[in-house]
Amino acid sequence: MDPETTDLPTPCTSSAAVVDRLRRSLSSCSQLIQTGVDFHKSEQSLSDLVLFLNSISDSFVREPENQDLENASFQILTEIRLFITSSSVDQQAVIDALSFELPKTAARFACVSPRCMEVAQSIVDCFTDKCSPRDMLSILCEAIGSPRDAFTVPSYFAPLLSGFPKVFVSIRRRQFEQVKAAVPVILNALKAIVLDSDDKDADLGDIFHKANCIADSMKAVCLELEGKDNEKLCALLGLFVLQITALASMGIEYRLAHSSPLVLKLSHFLQSCGLSYLGLIMGTDVEKLLGIAVGDGGDDLVGCFSDIWLGASILVIWGYKSNEVALAAGADLVALKDELQSSRIKRWHAVGMLKHVLLCLYLPLELKKDAINFLLSIMYPKLSQMPNDENEDYSTYMPTLCSALQAIQVVIMYATDVILRKNAFAAFKELLADCPTSLRFDILRALIKDGDSSSMIAVLLDCVREEVRLESSKSPPASKVSKAESEGSQGTIFWSSSALELVELVLRPPGGGPPSLPEHSDAVLSALNLYRFILIKESTGHLKQEKATIPGCFPGTAW
C-alpha cells in the first residue's frame, strides 16, 4: 500500500494541510491509474482518497456550525474541480476512474453550504462533459439511489439531479430504454426528499426546478426520435410530469406566488404529450400513457408512478384555479365544465379521480378546498340533457361512487376548516342526488354497512329519511286514491321494506348481537327516528306497503 495513502489526516487538521494532502492524494491516484501496472494498488489509492474526503463531510454532519469545516469543505471542492479541469489531466482513464466516486463525494459536501453546493454541481457538470453518458447515467443513478441517512436532504440530491439533463441528451443509442431505466430512480429519490423534508419550502423549489429541467431534456430527446420510440418516450414524459406535479404539490406551499411558476412549466408539457384536461380528470389519458410507456410486465416501472392519478387531478384543479395555467395547458375550462355537466358518466369518472386529492394526507388544505369547489361546479347538470335512465344498470359505477363518497366523508369528519366541511357535505348530497334511485339506495346501504363512524352513519340515515319524505310528499294519501290506482301504483325503493333494511343494519348488526352503546348511540338514535318517521307516514296513508317488521328488533310490530 502507498504510504501516502495510509496516513490520512484527521478532520481537525487545518484547511491548508487538508488541501495539501488532497493534492498529493489526487496526484498519487492519477499516476497509479495512468501507469496501469498495479490495478489493486490504484483501487486502494482511490478508496483511501474517498475515505478521507468522506471523513471530512461526516465531521460537518456532526458539527454543522463549525465554520472551519465549512471553509475546508469549500477548499476541498475547489481543489477537486481544479484538478479534473486541469489541462495536465489529459488521460481519460483517470477521469473515468474518478467519476465512479467523486460525483457522490462532491454531493455530500454540497450539504455543507450554498457555495459548496455550487462548486459540487460544477464538478458533476465536468464529469458529465468528459465521461461516457451511459457510464454517467449509471453513476448518477447509483448516487441518488443509495445515499446515507445523514445525506437524504435536498442539497445532496440537487447537484446529482442537475447531471441528468445533459446525460439524457447526449445518449445516442437506445434512448428510450436508457431514460426508462433512470426515471424510477429519479422519482423515488424525489418522493423520499418530499416525504422526509421538515420545511416544505426549504430547497424544494430548486429540486423541482431541476426535475423540470429533466423533463425538458426528455422532451428534447423525443424530438430526435421517430415512430414507436417517440410515442413511448412521449408517454413516459407524460407520466413523469404527472408524478412530478403530485410530488411538488405535496412539497411546495400551496400559494399562487410559490407554486404557479412550476405548475405553469409543467402544464406546457401536456399538449406535447397529447394530454387534455378532460382526459386527465376522467383518467382515460392516464390509462393511455401507462399502456404505451409501460405495457405488460412493467410492474417495477408502475411502482414509481404511484401518484400519477393524483397529479392528473391536481393539474386540472390548478387550471380551475388559475386561467394562466389553463392557457398554458391549452385547455378551455368553460368547455370542460360544460362537457362534465352534460354527461353523467363523465362526471362520475371525474369525481372518482378527485378522491385522490381528498384522501392524500400530504396535500395542503387549500388544495382540497379547490377540489371540493371544482366538484360542486360540475355537479349541476344541464337538465335539458339529462337522460330518463332510472331503469339503466349503473351497478358497474358503484365502486367508483362509493369510494368517492367515502373520500368526501373523510373531509366532512376530519377537516378543521368549517367552510370546507360545509362545502364537502353539500358535494356529498349533490353526488348522491346525481345517482338514479336504485343505485342511490345501494350506495347508502354499502356506506352504512361499511361505515365505522356512528355520527356519519346517523347522517346517512338522515339522508334516507329525507328521501322517504320527498317521495311520500309526491304521493296523495291512500284515502284519495282509487282502488285501481292503488293496485297499479308502484312505490319507489325507499317506500318499500328496503328502508327498514337500513334500520336493521344498525339495530341488528350483521356481526350479531345488539349495537354497542354508547359508541354507536348516534347511529341507533337516527335509526329509531327513521323507523318512527316511517310509522308516522304509514299512518297518514302516504306509504303503501305490505305489513312488515324488523326481525329480532320489533317483533309483532307492523307498519
Side-chain angles (χ1 to χ4, degrees), residues 307-323:
D307 302 302
I308 52 177
W309 309 94
L310 175 63
S313 303
I314 289 174
L315 279 171
V316 177
I317 293 172
W318 258 108
Y320 167 73
K321 181 181 176 69
S322 166
N323 290 331

Side-chain angles (χ1 to χ4, degrees), residues 121-151:
Q121 182 166 316
S122 68
I123 290 172
V124 173
D125 289 342
C126 288
F127 281 116
T128 57
D129 286 336
K130 293 174 176 287
C131 299
S132 160
R134 290 196 176 197
D135 289 343
M136 283 306 301
L137 188 62
S138 299
I139 291 166
L140 293 174
C141 286
E142 191 278 331
I144 69 169
S146 58
R148 280 186 50 194
D149 290 342
F151 297 96

Side-chain angles (χ1 to χ4, degrees), residues 204-468:
L204 289 181
D206 182 54
I207 286 291
F208 284 106
H209 169 71
K210 295 184 187 305
N212 184 76
C213 291
I214 293 174
D216 275 328
S217 68
M218 292 172 67
K219 182 179 177 181
V221 176
C222 285
L223 297 176
E224 298 178 0
L225 300 179
E226 297 178 351
K228 202 70 175 176
D229 282 348
N230 172 274
E231 182 184 15
K232 290 192 293 185
L233 188 54
C234 282
L236 186 65
L237 170 60
L239 294 173
F240 184 81
V241 168
L242 297 183
Q243 183 72 11
I244 292 299
T245 300
L247 296 177
S249 300
M250 298 179 198
I252 298 178
E253 189 69 27
Y254 188 68
R255 294 194 298 268
L256 195 63
H258 282 201
S259 305
S260 186
L262 175 63
V263 178
L264 273 172
K265 293 176 183 177
L266 294 173
S267 296
H268 279 294
F269 291 105
L270 297 187
Q271 294 185 75
S272 302
C273 299
L275 304 178
S276 68
Y277 272 9
L278 182 63
L280 289 175
I281 201 59
M282 288 180 60
T284 53
D285 277 357
V286 183
E287 293 279 6
K288 179 184 70 175
L289 294 180
L290 283 172
I292 296 172
V294 179
D296 298 328
D299 292 343
D300 293 340
L301 187 59
V302 170
C304 73
F305 294 129
S306 57
D307 302 302
I308 52 177
W309 309 94
L310 175 63
S313 303
I314 289 174
L315 279 171
V316 177
I317 293 172
W318 258 108
Y320 167 73
K321 181 181 176 69
S322 166
N323 290 331
E324 189 179 9
V325 172
L327 185 63
D332 184 342
L333 260 296
V334 175
L336 174 68
K337 289 194 283 189
D338 183 72
E339 184 81 16
L340 296 175
Q341 290 173 354
S342 301
S343 170
R344 172 180 277 167
I345 301 303
K346 292 178 180 178
R347 193 160 57 247
W348 288 351
H349 279 294
V351 170
M353 287 290 290
L354 290 172
K355 73 181 178 187
H356 298 287
V357 176
L358 302 179
L359 290 176
C360 183
L361 298 176
Y362 302 102
L363 292 179
L365 194 65
E366 289 79 5
L367 187 52
K368 298 189 178 186
K369 285 182 181 179
D370 287 329
I372 289 292
N373 290 337
F374 177 73
L375 194 156
L376 284 170
S377 75
I378 65 174
M379 290 308 301
Y380 296 98
K382 293 181 176 295
L383 298 179
S384 62
Q385 301 181 38
M386 285 298 294
N388 183 15
D389 54 2
E390 288 294 325
N391 296 322
E392 294 288 335
D393 181 14
Y394 288 115
S395 59
T396 56
Y397 295 97
M398 184 172 167
T400 297
L401 293 168
C402 278
S403 60
L405 286 165
Q406 287 170 336
I408 299 174
Q409 283 181 337
V410 171
V411 178
I412 295 171
M413 291 188 291
Y414 299 113
T416 56
D417 187 272
V418 175
I419 296 177
L420 175 57
R421 291 201 306 271
K422 179 181 177 181
N423 289 342
F425 186 59
F428 186 90
K429 292 191 293 184
E430 288 289 343
L431 182 53
L432 270 181
D434 197 35
C435 302
T437 304
S438 60
L439 181 62
R440 185 158 64 248
F441 173 77
D442 290 339
I443 289 173
L444 284 168
R445 177 173 54 192
L447 293 176
I448 292 171
K449 184 176 180 180
D450 298 335
D452 55 7
S453 166
S454 178
S455 298
M456 199 66 229
I457 292 174
V459 170
L460 295 171
L461 289 173
D462 287 344
C463 292
V464 175
R465 185 175 62 175
E466 179 64 12
E467 289 288 347
V468 175

Side-chain angles (χ1 to χ4, degrees), residues 56-94:
I56 302 293
S57 57
D58 286 341
S59 297
F60 186 82
V61 171
R62 293 190 295 269
E63 303 178 60
E65 303 301 324
N66 190 323
Q67 188 60 40
D68 290 338
L69 284 173
E70 195 278 338
N71 289 331
S73 298
F74 179 74
Q75 292 181 42
I76 285 171
L77 289 172
T78 303
E79 186 64 29
I80 292 173
R81 181 176 60 183
L82 182 64
F83 179 81
I84 62 177
T85 57
S86 172
S87 58
S88 62
V89 184
D90 56 359
Q91 294 293 324
Q92 188 62 42
V94 176

